[in-house]
Amino acid sequence: MTEHAERLARLAQGWDEAADGYEAYYVPRFAPWVATAVRALTHGPLPEGPVLVPCCGTFPELDALSEHLPGRETVGIDLSAGMVRRARERAARHRQAAVVQGDASTLDPRWSGTCAAVVSVFGLQQLPEPDLAIRSWAAALCPGGRLSVVFWPDITEVDGPFALLADVLRARVPAGDSSWERRLLPASSAQGLVIERDEHLSYPMSHPDATTFFDAHTRSGPLRALAVARGEAFVNQLREEFLRRAPAGEWHHQPRARHIVARR
Ligand SMILES: C[S@@+](CC[C@H](N)C(=O)[O-])C[C@H]1O[C@@H](n2cnc3c(N)ncnc32)[C@H](O)[C@@H]1O
């Protein structure tokens, strides 16, 4: 297996294990970002054609899409079999919705120039080369088609559970390269897209306490893959330091995501 394939397999396994808990813990907390990403597609007419949802997870985008764009063919794509199983349960309640299991970094060429929209929430930052992925998503749009992508940038807050966890992690795991963030707009423009919005979206989020947040993040969230790869002793160390430095009681914060909207 190549290094790239191994990385994808580890990520998929992490999300397989996280899927049920993710739906319960994160889907309600991420709902405002999902709603804004979908609403951005409806500011102005959309051409005919399907809507693609790369990195759909359990597919929370679908509820908002079917409300705002009823009857539109909608296709979710996700790497994780566990997420796809959940997404298909949701899709079964909607007409004209389907879910494909696969790597959304490079879309199948059959979508090229055919889609009315591509909307994706909190998946882009996990891809190996996000700027190349956004290029592929842009290429799927037909003339007049719209892209709406929400993702977590390198810095989401200065204070709060995301910031503390990043700080605790940094002593043990080298920082990833975040230079791709600067390449997203040039990559989209190179595909003929006109950028309509590039904004930060902050919404309030709360957690019953630091322990609940840490356990959700490492069992049902984005740190599941790392937890599986590094094992229990590593997670326990991380947990101990995180809880020692975290405030007591309910934890409220307002993390900041980045939202890019563009039109072909
Ligand atoms: C944080 S979840 C977001 C799910 C959903 N969009 C939401 O807003 O709740 C990220 C998802 O990206 C998926 N993912 C990560 N890398 C992927 C890839 N290369 N191709 C497709 N999906 C991927 C994961 O399996 C996971 O379901």
Side-chain angles (χ1 to χ4, degrees), residues 4 8 11-12 14-16 22-23 26-27 30 34 53-61 77-81 83-84 100 102-106 119-128 137 152 221-222:
H4 176 78
L8 287 187
L11 196 60
W15 285 112
D16 288 348
Y22 180 87
E23 173 70 21
Y26 285 103
V27 166
F30 289 170
V34 170
V53 187
C55 308
C56 65
T58 64
F59 216 171
E61 297 88 349
I77 304 165
D78 202 278
L79 192 61
S80 145
M83 286 294 194
V84 165
V100 176
D103 180 7
S105 302
T106 310
V119 57
S120 187
V121 183
F122 298 145
L124 187 75
Q125 76 283 342
Q126 300 189 12
L127 304 180
W137 300 356
W152 294 120

mmCIF file of all heavy atoms in Angstrom, residues 4 8 11-12 14-16 22-23 26-27 30 34 53-61 77-81 83-84 100 102-106 119-128 137 152 221-222, ligand 1:
data_model
loop_
_atom_site.group_PDB
_atom_site.id
_atom_site.type_symbol
_atom_site.label_atom_id
_atom_site.label_comp_id
_atom_site.label_asym_id
_atom_site.label_seq_id
_atom_site.Cartn_x
_atom_site.Cartn_y
_atom_site.Cartn_z
ATOM 1 N N HIS A 4 0.185 7.295 0.723
ATOM 2 C CA HIS A 4 -1.076 8.036 0.555
ATOM 3 C C HIS A 4 -2.275 7.129 0.892
ATOM 4 O O HIS A 4 -3.178 7.519 1.635
ATOM 5 C CB HIS A 4 -1.158 8.535 -0.888
ATOM 6 C CG HIS A 4 -2.434 9.223 -1.219
ATOM 7 N ND1 HIS A 4 -2.693 10.529 -0.847
ATOM 8 C CD2 HIS A 4 -3.535 8.788 -1.881
ATOM 9 C CE1 HIS A 4 -3.907 10.868 -1.275
ATOM 10 N NE2 HIS A 4 -4.434 9.827 -1.888
ATOM 11 N N LEU A 8 -5.069 7.450 3.967
ATOM 12 C CA LEU A 8 -6.523 7.468 3.756
ATOM 13 C C LEU A 8 -7.196 6.344 4.547
ATOM 14 O O LEU A 8 -8.260 6.539 5.132
ATOM 15 C CB LEU A 8 -6.854 7.313 2.270
ATOM 16 C CG LEU A 8 -6.573 8.521 1.375
ATOM 17 C CD1 LEU A 8 -7.100 8.274 -0.033
ATOM 18 C CD2 LEU A 8 -7.196 9.802 1.916
ATOM 19 N N LEU A 11 -7.421 7.293 8.184
ATOM 20 C CA LEU A 11 -8.447 8.327 8.369
ATOM 21 C C LEU A 11 -9.844 7.700 8.292
ATOM 22 O O LEU A 11 -10.716 7.967 9.125
ATOM 23 C CB LEU A 11 -8.278 9.381 7.264
ATOM 24 C CG LEU A 11 -8.955 10.717 7.447
ATOM 25 C CD1 LEU A 11 -8.453 11.420 8.702
ATOM 26 C CD2 LEU A 11 -8.680 11.611 6.233
ATOM 27 N N ALA A 12 -10.023 6.817 7.304
ATOM 28 C CA ALA A 12 -11.332 6.168 7.129
ATOM 29 C C ALA A 12 -11.674 5.334 8.358
ATOM 30 O O ALA A 12 -12.805 5.388 8.857
ATOM 31 C CB ALA A 12 -11.320 5.298 5.878
ATOM 32 N N GLY A 14 -10.652 5.785 11.406
ATOM 33 C CA GLY A 14 -10.988 6.715 12.488
ATOM 34 C C GLY A 14 -12.437 7.178 12.385
ATOM 35 O O GLY A 14 -13.199 7.144 13.354
ATOM 36 N N TRP A 15 -12.844 7.567 11.192
ATOM 37 C CA TRP A 15 -14.219 8.060 11.020
ATOM 38 C C TRP A 15 -15.240 6.928 11.094
ATOM 39 O O TRP A 15 -16.370 7.150 11.527
ATOM 40 C CB TRP A 15 -14.348 8.865 9.728
ATOM 41 C CG TRP A 15 -13.729 10.225 9.864
ATOM 42 C CD1 TRP A 15 -12.605 10.693 9.238
ATOM 43 C CD2 TRP A 15 -14.189 11.303 10.704
ATOM 44 N NE1 TRP A 15 -12.341 11.974 9.638
ATOM 45 C CE2 TRP A 15 -13.288 12.381 10.522
ATOM 46 C CE3 TRP A 15 -15.250 11.457 11.580
ATOM 47 C CZ2 TRP A 15 -13.434 13.593 11.204
ATOM 48 C CZ3 TRP A 15 -15.399 12.668 12.258
ATOM 49 C CH2 TRP A 15 -14.505 13.715 12.066
ATOM 50 N N ASP A 16 -14.846 5.715 10.704
ATOM 51 C CA ASP A 16 -15.763 4.567 10.874
ATOM 52 C C ASP A 16 -16.132 4.432 12.344
ATOM 53 O O ASP A 16 -17.296 4.261 12.709
ATOM 54 C CB ASP A 16 -15.086 3.242 10.462
ATOM 55 C CG ASP A 16 -14.911 3.107 8.957
ATOM 56 O OD1 ASP A 16 -15.498 3.911 8.212
ATOM 57 O OD2 ASP A 16 -14.168 2.195 8.536
ATOM 58 N N TYR A 22 -20.348 10.838 16.376
ATOM 59 C CA TYR A 22 -20.262 12.117 15.636
ATOM 60 C C TYR A 22 -21.664 12.678 15.374
ATOM 61 O O TYR A 22 -21.931 13.862 15.594
ATOM 62 C CB TYR A 22 -19.515 11.909 14.311
ATOM 63 C CG TYR A 22 -19.386 13.187 13.513
ATOM 64 C CD1 TYR A 22 -18.326 14.055 13.722
ATOM 65 C CD2 TYR A 22 -20.355 13.537 12.566
ATOM 66 C CE1 TYR A 22 -18.226 15.245 13.009
ATOM 67 C CE2 TYR A 22 -20.263 14.717 11.860
ATOM 68 C CZ TYR A 22 -19.197 15.566 12.070
ATOM 69 O OH TYR A 22 -19.101 16.742 11.379
ATOM 70 N N GLU A 23 -22.548 11.808 14.924
ATOM 71 C CA GLU A 23 -23.917 12.247 14.615
ATOM 72 C C GLU A 23 -24.575 12.836 15.875
ATOM 73 O O GLU A 23 -25.211 13.879 15.823
ATOM 74 C CB GLU A 23 -24.727 11.054 14.069
ATOM 75 C CG GLU A 23 -26.211 11.310 13.851
ATOM 76 C CD GLU A 23 -26.541 12.256 12.698
ATOM 77 O OE1 GLU A 23 -25.699 12.430 11.793
ATOM 78 O OE2 GLU A 23 -27.649 12.828 12.728
ATOM 79 N N TYR A 26 -21.537 16.013 17.373
ATOM 80 C CA TYR A 26 -21.090 17.149 16.546
ATOM 81 C C TYR A 26 -22.151 17.678 15.589
ATOM 82 O O TYR A 26 -22.181 18.882 15.324
ATOM 83 C CB TYR A 26 -19.814 16.783 15.782
ATOM 84 C CG TYR A 26 -18.634 16.798 16.709
ATOM 85 C CD1 TYR A 26 -18.083 15.616 17.181
ATOM 86 C CD2 TYR A 26 -18.121 17.998 17.185
ATOM 87 C CE1 TYR A 26 -17.037 15.635 18.084
ATOM 88 C CE2 TYR A 26 -17.077 18.019 18.082
ATOM 89 C CZ TYR A 26 -16.536 16.835 18.534
ATOM 90 O OH TYR A 26 -15.526 16.875 19.436
ATOM 91 N N VAL A 27 -22.990 16.795 15.065
ATOM 92 C CA VAL A 27 -23.948 17.298 14.055
ATOM 93 C C VAL A 27 -24.799 18.452 14.609
ATOM 94 O O VAL A 27 -24.907 19.497 13.967
ATOM 95 C CB VAL A 27 -24.765 16.137 13.438
ATOM 96 C CG1 VAL A 27 -25.975 16.654 12.671
ATOM 97 C CG2 VAL A 27 -23.853 15.310 12.517
ATOM 98 N N PHE A 30 -22.473 21.588 14.915
ATOM 99 C CA PHE A 30 -21.984 22.170 13.649
ATOM 100 C C PHE A 30 -23.129 22.689 12.774
ATOM 101 O O PHE A 30 -22.889 23.244 11.696
ATOM 102 C CB PHE A 30 -21.185 21.117 12.866
ATOM 103 C CG PHE A 30 -19.834 20.766 13.465
ATOM 104 C CD1 PHE A 30 -19.102 19.687 12.972
ATOM 105 C CD2 PHE A 30 -19.277 21.511 14.501
ATOM 106 C CE1 PHE A 30 -17.854 19.360 13.507
ATOM 107 C CE2 PHE A 30 -18.026 21.190 15.044
ATOM 108 C CZ PHE A 30 -17.318 20.108 14.544
ATOM 109 N N VAL A 34 -23.364 24.411 8.759
ATOM 110 C CA VAL A 34 -23.975 23.660 7.653
ATOM 111 C C VAL A 34 -25.082 24.507 7.019
ATOM 112 O O VAL A 34 -25.175 24.618 5.785
ATOM 113 C CB VAL A 34 -24.538 22.298 8.162
ATOM 114 C CG1 VAL A 34 -25.388 21.627 7.096
ATOM 115 C CG2 VAL A 34 -23.388 21.380 8.588
ATOM 116 N N VAL A 53 -21.796 16.769 -2.597
ATOM 117 C CA VAL A 53 -21.417 17.097 -1.217
ATOM 118 C C VAL A 53 -20.201 16.247 -0.822
ATOM 119 O O VAL A 53 -20.345 15.179 -0.230
ATOM 120 C CB VAL A 53 -22.603 16.866 -0.246
ATOM 121 C CG1 VAL A 53 -22.250 17.363 1.149
ATOM 122 C CG2 VAL A 53 -23.868 17.538 -0.760
ATOM 123 N N PRO A 54 -18.988 16.710 -1.177
ATOM 124 C CA PRO A 54 -17.792 15.956 -0.793
ATOM 125 C C PRO A 54 -17.598 15.977 0.721
ATOM 126 O O PRO A 54 -17.907 16.980 1.366
ATOM 127 C CB PRO A 54 -16.640 16.718 -1.484
ATOM 128 C CG PRO A 54 -17.287 17.626 -2.479
ATOM 129 C CD PRO A 54 -18.669 17.905 -1.972
ATOM 130 N N CYS A 55 -17.117 14.854 1.272
ATOM 131 C CA CYS A 55 -16.878 14.720 2.721
ATOM 132 C C CYS A 55 -18.179 14.925 3.497
ATOM 133 O O CYS A 55 -18.234 15.679 4.466
ATOM 134 C CB CYS A 55 -15.811 15.690 3.207
ATOM 135 S SG CYS A 55 -14.285 15.617 2.266
ATOM 136 N N CYS A 56 -19.226 14.217 3.080
ATOM 137 C CA CYS A 56 -20.568 14.460 3.642
ATOM 138 C C CYS A 56 -20.739 13.889 5.041
ATOM 139 O O CYS A 56 -21.708 14.226 5.726
ATOM 140 C CB CYS A 56 -21.640 13.902 2.716
ATOM 141 S SG CYS A 56 -21.569 12.100 2.557
ATOM 142 N N GLY A 57 -19.835 13.000 5.481
ATOM 143 C CA GLY A 57 -20.019 12.395 6.806
ATOM 144 C C GLY A 57 -21.371 11.725 6.889
ATOM 145 O O GLY A 57 -21.774 10.966 5.991
ATOM 146 N N THR A 58 -22.113 12.024 7.959
ATOM 147 C CA THR A 58 -23.454 11.437 8.105
ATOM 148 C C THR A 58 -24.492 12.189 7.240
ATOM 149 O O THR A 58 -25.662 11.879 7.295
ATOM 150 C CB THR A 58 -23.895 11.443 9.579
ATOM 151 O OG1 THR A 58 -23.995 12.806 10.011
ATOM 152 C CG2 THR A 58 -22.903 10.693 10.463
ATOM 153 N N PHE A 59 -24.050 13.167 6.504
ATOM 154 C CA PHE A 59 -24.836 13.905 5.492
ATOM 155 C C PHE A 59 -25.846 14.891 6.098
ATOM 156 O O PHE A 59 -26.994 14.985 5.637
ATOM 157 C CB PHE A 59 -25.572 12.898 4.599
ATOM 158 C CG PHE A 59 -25.692 13.311 3.145
ATOM 159 C CD1 PHE A 59 -26.180 12.406 2.191
ATOM 160 C CD2 PHE A 59 -25.340 14.576 2.700
ATOM 161 C CE1 PHE A 59 -26.307 12.747 0.849
ATOM 162 C CE2 PHE A 59 -25.462 14.939 1.359
ATOM 163 C CZ PHE A 59 -25.954 14.014 0.441
ATOM 164 N N PRO A 60 -25.424 15.696 7.101
ATOM 165 C CA PRO A 60 -26.356 16.684 7.654
ATOM 166 C C PRO A 60 -26.737 17.769 6.650
ATOM 167 O O PRO A 60 -27.790 18.406 6.785
ATOM 168 C CB PRO A 60 -25.584 17.280 8.834
ATOM 169 C CG PRO A 60 -24.148 17.010 8.542
ATOM 170 C CD PRO A 60 -24.116 15.728 7.783
ATOM 171 N N GLU A 61 -25.891 17.961 5.622
ATOM 172 C CA GLU A 61 -26.191 18.975 4.595
ATOM 173 C C GLU A 61 -27.511 18.655 3.882
ATOM 174 O O GLU A 61 -28.189 19.544 3.375
ATOM 175 C CB GLU A 61 -25.067 19.033 3.548
ATOM 176 C CG GLU A 61 -23.699 19.446 4.068
ATOM 177 C CD GLU A 61 -22.845 18.279 4.572
ATOM 178 O OE1 GLU A 61 -23.386 17.161 4.711
ATOM 179 O OE2 GLU A 61 -21.648 18.495 4.838
ATOM 180 N N ILE A 77 -20.459 12.260 -0.906
ATOM 181 C CA ILE A 77 -19.284 11.412 -1.133
ATOM 182 C C ILE A 77 -18.485 11.380 0.169
ATOM 183 O O ILE A 77 -18.192 12.439 0.743
ATOM 184 C CB ILE A 77 -18.377 12.000 -2.248
ATOM 185 C CG1 ILE A 77 -19.187 12.197 -3.523
ATOM 186 C CG2 ILE A 77 -17.166 11.099 -2.506
ATOM 187 C CD1 ILE A 77 -18.499 13.089 -4.546
ATOM 188 N N ASP A 78 -18.154 10.205 0.633
ATOM 189 C CA ASP A 78 -17.325 10.112 1.841
ATOM 190 C C ASP A 78 -16.468 8.857 1.794
ATOM 191 O O ASP A 78 -16.849 7.836 1.211
ATOM 192 C CB ASP A 78 -18.188 10.112 3.108
ATOM 193 C CG ASP A 78 -17.396 10.549 4.327
ATOM 194 O OD1 ASP A 78 -16.676 9.713 4.914
ATOM 195 O OD2 ASP A 78 -17.470 11.747 4.694
ATOM 196 N N LEU A 79 -15.314 8.993 2.438
ATOM 197 C CA LEU A 79 -14.308 7.940 2.453
ATOM 198 C C LEU A 79 -14.669 6.795 3.394
ATOM 199 O O LEU A 79 -14.292 5.637 3.159
ATOM 200 C CB LEU A 79 -13.027 8.596 2.981
ATOM 201 C CG LEU A 79 -11.710 7.897 2.893
ATOM 202 C CD1 LEU A 79 -11.352 7.623 1.446
ATOM 203 C CD2 LEU A 79 -10.633 8.796 3.519
ATOM 204 N N SER A 80 -15.363 7.125 4.463
ATOM 205 C CA SER A 80 -15.553 6.168 5.559
ATOM 206 C C SER A 80 -16.823 5.340 5.379
ATOM 207 O O SER A 80 -17.920 5.888 5.221
ATOM 208 C CB SER A 80 -15.606 6.970 6.872
ATOM 209 O OG SER A 80 -16.495 6.403 7.796
ATOM 210 N N ALA A 81 -16.659 4.013 5.456
ATOM 211 C CA ALA A 81 -17.824 3.120 5.303
ATOM 212 C C ALA A 81 -18.838 3.374 6.415
ATOM 213 O O ALA A 81 -20.049 3.342 6.175
ATOM 214 C CB ALA A 81 -17.351 1.673 5.349
ATOM 215 N N MET A 83 -19.426 6.203 8.019
ATOM 216 C CA MET A 83 -20.135 7.456 7.721
ATOM 217 C C MET A 83 -21.114 7.237 6.569
ATOM 218 O O MET A 83 -22.256 7.728 6.598
ATOM 219 C CB MET A 83 -19.132 8.553 7.353
ATOM 220 C CG MET A 83 -18.368 9.103 8.529
ATOM 221 S SD MET A 83 -19.478 9.986 9.658
ATOM 222 C CE MET A 83 -18.304 10.878 10.674
ATOM 223 N N VAL A 84 -20.683 6.485 5.561
ATOM 224 C CA VAL A 84 -21.548 6.248 4.395
ATOM 225 C C VAL A 84 -22.807 5.467 4.813
ATOM 226 O O VAL A 84 -23.914 5.764 4.354
ATOM 227 C CB VAL A 84 -20.752 5.518 3.281
ATOM 228 C CG1 VAL A 84 -21.668 4.934 2.217
ATOM 229 C CG2 VAL A 84 -19.746 6.480 2.663
ATOM 230 N N VAL A 100 -22.045 8.024 -2.264
ATOM 231 C CA VAL A 100 -20.994 7.235 -2.894
ATOM 232 C C VAL A 100 -19.830 7.143 -1.908
ATOM 233 O O VAL A 100 -19.449 8.156 -1.319
ATOM 234 C CB VAL A 100 -20.501 7.940 -4.186
ATOM 235 C CG1 VAL A 100 -19.336 7.201 -4.810
ATOM 236 C CG2 VAL A 100 -21.643 8.101 -5.175
ATOM 237 N N GLY A 102 -15.959 6.932 -1.333
ATOM 238 C CA GLY A 102 -14.732 7.128 -2.099
ATOM 239 C C GLY A 102 -13.966 8.343 -1.624
ATOM 240 O O GLY A 102 -14.419 9.082 -0.742
ATOM 241 N N ASP A 103 -12.805 8.541 -2.240
ATOM 242 C CA ASP A 103 -11.938 9.672 -1.921
ATOM 243 C C ASP A 103 -12.450 10.905 -2.672
ATOM 244 O O ASP A 103 -12.479 10.914 -3.910
ATOM 245 C CB ASP A 103 -10.502 9.311 -2.363
ATOM 246 C CG ASP A 103 -9.514 10.420 -2.089
ATOM 247 O OD1 ASP A 103 -9.892 11.414 -1.440
ATOM 248 O OD2 ASP A 103 -8.356 10.276 -2.530
ATOM 249 N N ALA A 104 -12.829 11.932 -1.926
ATOM 250 C CA ALA A 104 -13.381 13.143 -2.558
ATOM 251 C C ALA A 104 -12.293 14.133 -2.966
ATOM 252 O O ALA A 104 -12.594 15.224 -3.434
ATOM 253 C CB ALA A 104 -14.377 13.812 -1.614
ATOM 254 N N SER A 105 -11.026 13.760 -2.795
ATOM 255 C CA SER A 105 -9.933 14.677 -3.170
ATOM 256 C C SER A 105 -9.935 14.952 -4.666
ATOM 257 O O SER A 105 -9.617 16.052 -5.102
ATOM 258 C CB SER A 105 -8.574 14.067 -2.849
ATOM 259 O OG SER A 105 -8.467 13.755 -1.521
ATOM 260 N N THR A 106 -10.213 13.902 -5.432
ATOM 261 C CA THR A 106 -10.293 14.050 -6.890
ATOM 262 C C THR A 106 -11.619 13.450 -7.311
ATOM 263 O O THR A 106 -11.819 12.240 -7.170
ATOM 264 C CB THR A 106 -9.147 13.277 -7.576
ATOM 265 O OG1 THR A 106 -7.929 13.646 -6.943
ATOM 266 C CG2 THR A 106 -9.072 13.599 -9.048
ATOM 267 N N VAL A 119 -21.072 21.638 -2.367
ATOM 268 C CA VAL A 119 -21.083 22.222 -1.024
ATOM 269 C C VAL A 119 -20.405 21.232 -0.081
ATOM 270 O O VAL A 119 -20.656 20.034 -0.153
ATOM 271 C CB VAL A 119 -22.531 22.577 -0.578
ATOM 272 C CG1 VAL A 119 -23.456 21.376 -0.601
ATOM 273 C CG2 VAL A 119 -22.541 23.197 0.813
ATOM 274 N N SER A 120 -19.508 21.750 0.743
ATOM 275 C CA SER A 120 -18.774 20.848 1.620
ATOM 276 C C SER A 120 -18.479 21.550 2.944
ATOM 277 O O SER A 120 -18.090 22.714 2.964
ATOM 278 C CB SER A 120 -17.464 20.421 0.947
ATOM 279 O OG SER A 120 -16.826 19.427 1.736
ATOM 280 N N VAL A 121 -18.672 20.813 4.033
ATOM 281 C CA VAL A 121 -18.496 21.403 5.367
ATOM 282 C C VAL A 121 -17.545 20.542 6.198
ATOM 283 O O VAL A 121 -17.792 19.345 6.415
ATOM 284 C CB VAL A 121 -19.863 21.527 6.089
ATOM 285 C CG1 VAL A 121 -19.684 22.201 7.449
ATOM 286 C CG2 VAL A 121 -20.854 22.305 5.239
ATOM 287 N N PHE A 122 -16.474 21.163 6.660
ATOM 288 C CA PHE A 122 -15.516 20.555 7.586
ATOM 289 C C PHE A 122 -14.854 19.276 7.076
ATOM 290 O O PHE A 122 -14.514 18.391 7.866
ATOM 291 C CB PHE A 122 -16.163 20.337 8.967
ATOM 292 C CG PHE A 122 -16.599 21.619 9.626
ATOM 293 C CD1 PHE A 122 -17.749 21.677 10.408
ATOM 294 C CD2 PHE A 122 -15.867 22.779 9.441
ATOM 295 C CE1 PHE A 122 -18.153 22.869 11.007
ATOM 296 C CE2 PHE A 122 -16.251 23.970 10.038
ATOM 297 C CZ PHE A 122 -17.399 24.012 10.817
ATOM 298 N N GLY A 123 -14.675 19.194 5.761
ATOM 299 C CA GLY A 123 -13.942 18.065 5.192
ATOM 300 C C GLY A 123 -12.633 18.510 4.567
ATOM 301 O O GLY A 123 -11.617 17.820 4.666
ATOM 302 N N LEU A 124 -12.637 19.705 3.955
ATOM 303 C CA LEU A 124 -11.489 20.150 3.146
ATOM 304 C C LEU A 124 -10.163 20.080 3.903
ATOM 305 O O LEU A 124 -9.146 19.636 3.357
ATOM 306 C CB LEU A 124 -11.739 21.582 2.644
ATOM 307 C CG LEU A 124 -10.698 22.102 1.654
ATOM 308 C CD1 LEU A 124 -10.877 21.473 0.283
ATOM 309 C CD2 LEU A 124 -10.762 23.630 1.534
ATOM 310 N N GLN A 125 -10.175 20.525 5.178
ATOM 311 C CA GLN A 125 -8.905 20.608 5.931
ATOM 312 C C GLN A 125 -8.312 19.237 6.235
ATOM 313 O O GLN A 125 -7.166 19.147 6.661
ATOM 314 C CB GLN A 125 -9.100 21.415 7.232
ATOM 315 C CG GLN A 125 -9.814 20.688 8.373
ATOM 316 C CD GLN A 125 -11.320 20.581 8.201
ATOM 317 O OE1 GLN A 125 -11.917 21.308 7.422
ATOM 318 N NE2 GLN A 125 -11.952 19.655 8.918
ATOM 319 N N GLN A 126 -9.093 18.180 5.997
ATOM 320 C CA GLN A 126 -8.556 16.838 6.269
ATOM 321 C C GLN A 126 -7.912 16.203 5.057
ATOM 322 O O GLN A 126 -7.316 15.131 5.165
ATOM 323 C CB GLN A 126 -9.692 15.913 6.673
ATOM 324 C CG GLN A 126 -10.367 16.381 7.876
ATOM 325 C CD GLN A 126 -11.333 15.336 8.363
ATOM 326 O OE1 GLN A 126 -11.338 14.202 7.933
ATOM 327 N NE2 GLN A 126 -12.138 15.752 9.287
ATOM 328 N N LEU A 127 -8.097 16.815 3.911
ATOM 329 C CA LEU A 127 -7.609 16.186 2.688
ATOM 330 C C LEU A 127 -6.103 16.409 2.566
ATOM 331 O O LEU A 127 -5.575 17.412 3.055
ATOM 332 C CB LEU A 127 -8.352 16.764 1.476
ATOM 333 C CG LEU A 127 -9.874 16.620 1.572
ATOM 334 C CD1 LEU A 127 -10.549 17.208 0.346
ATOM 335 C CD2 LEU A 127 -10.291 15.172 1.743
ATOM 336 N N PRO A 128 -5.406 15.495 1.909
ATOM 337 C CA PRO A 128 -3.947 15.618 1.840
ATOM 338 C C PRO A 128 -3.488 16.904 1.142
ATOM 339 O O PRO A 128 -2.534 17.532 1.573
ATOM 340 C CB PRO A 128 -3.518 14.386 1.041
ATOM 341 C CG PRO A 128 -4.698 13.472 1.009
ATOM 342 C CD PRO A 128 -5.920 14.282 1.289
ATOM 343 N N TRP A 137 -13.103 20.151 -7.307
ATOM 344 C CA TRP A 137 -14.497 20.477 -7.031
ATOM 345 C C TRP A 137 -14.972 21.586 -7.975
ATOM 346 O O TRP A 137 -16.097 21.539 -8.486
ATOM 347 C CB TRP A 137 -14.679 20.898 -5.566
ATOM 348 C CG TRP A 137 -14.287 19.830 -4.578
ATOM 349 C CD1 TRP A 137 -13.871 18.550 -4.875
ATOM 350 C CD2 TRP A 137 -14.248 19.921 -3.151
ATOM 351 N NE1 TRP A 137 -13.585 17.866 -3.727
ATOM 352 C CE2 TRP A 137 -13.798 18.669 -2.652
ATOM 353 C CE3 TRP A 137 -14.537 20.933 -2.231
ATOM 354 C CZ2 TRP A 137 -13.662 18.413 -1.272
ATOM 355 C CZ3 TRP A 137 -14.396 20.674 -0.865
ATOM 356 C CH2 TRP A 137 -13.969 19.433 -0.402
ATOM 357 N N TRP A 152 -12.191 24.263 8.644
ATOM 358 C CA TRP A 152 -11.456 24.792 9.800
ATOM 359 C C TRP A 152 -10.079 25.240 9.332
ATOM 360 O O TRP A 152 -9.303 24.425 8.831
ATOM 361 C CB TRP A 152 -11.288 23.723 10.877
ATOM 362 C CG TRP A 152 -12.559 23.281 11.529
ATOM 363 C CD1 TRP A 152 -13.070 22.012 11.536
ATOM 364 C CD2 TRP A 152 -13.474 24.080 12.290
ATOM 365 N NE1 TRP A 152 -14.255 21.987 12.252
ATOM 366 C CE2 TRP A 152 -14.528 23.236 12.722
ATOM 367 C CE3 TRP A 152 -13.527 25.432 12.641
ATOM 368 C CZ2 TRP A 152 -15.602 23.697 13.487
ATOM 369 C CZ3 TRP A 152 -14.604 25.876 13.391
ATOM 370 C CH2 TRP A 152 -15.623 25.031 13.816
ATOM 371 N N GLY A 221 -14.797 12.089 17.042
ATOM 372 C CA GLY A 221 -14.488 13.293 16.270
ATOM 373 C C GLY A 221 -13.172 13.178 15.528
ATOM 374 O O GLY A 221 -12.637 12.082 15.341
ATOM 375 N N PRO A 222 -12.615 14.327 15.159
ATOM 376 C CA PRO A 222 -11.452 14.347 14.266
ATOM 377 C C PRO A 222 -10.182 13.731 14.860
ATOM 378 O O PRO A 222 -9.272 13.404 14.104
ATOM 379 C CB PRO A 222 -11.239 15.837 13.989
ATOM 380 C CG PRO A 222 -12.017 16.556 15.032
ATOM 381 C CD PRO A 222 -13.129 15.662 15.457
HETATM 382 C C1 LIG B 1 -15.874 16.480 10.249
HETATM 383 S S1 LIG B 1 -16.651 15.322 9.190
HETATM 384 C C2 LIG B 1 -17.794 16.407 8.373
HETATM 385 C C3 LIG B 1 -19.033 15.719 7.923
HETATM 386 C C4 LIG B 1 -20.183 16.609 7.454
HETATM 387 N N1 LIG B 1 -19.850 17.330 6.251
HETATM 388 C C5 LIG B 1 -20.618 17.556 8.545
HETATM 389 O O1 LIG B 1 -20.580 18.772 8.327
HETATM 390 O O2 LIG B 1 -21.019 17.093 9.622
HETATM 391 C C6 LIG B 1 -15.419 15.065 7.941
HETATM 392 C C7 LIG B 1 -15.740 13.935 6.977
HETATM 393 O O3 LIG B 1 -14.773 13.971 5.924
HETATM 394 C C8 LIG B 1 -14.562 12.645 5.491
HETATM 395 N N2 LIG B 1 -13.317 12.565 4.740
HETATM 396 C C9 LIG B 1 -12.053 12.760 5.174
HETATM 397 N N3 LIG B 1 -11.172 12.595 4.155
HETATM 398 C C10 LIG B 1 -11.910 12.296 3.054
HETATM 399 C C11 LIG B 1 -11.586 12.024 1.697
HETATM 400 N N4 LIG B 1 -10.327 12.025 1.270
HETATM 401 N N5 LIG B 1 -12.590 11.772 0.841
HETATM 402 C C12 LIG B 1 -13.883 11.761 1.267
HETATM 403 N N6 LIG B 1 -14.247 12.001 2.540
HETATM 404 C C13 LIG B 1 -13.271 12.278 3.420
HETATM 405 C C14 LIG B 1 -14.550 11.843 6.788
HETATM 406 O O4 LIG B 1 -14.780 10.469 6.559
HETATM 407 C C15 LIG B 1 -15.662 12.530 7.583
HETATM 408 O O5 LIG B 1 -16.871 11.875 7.394
#
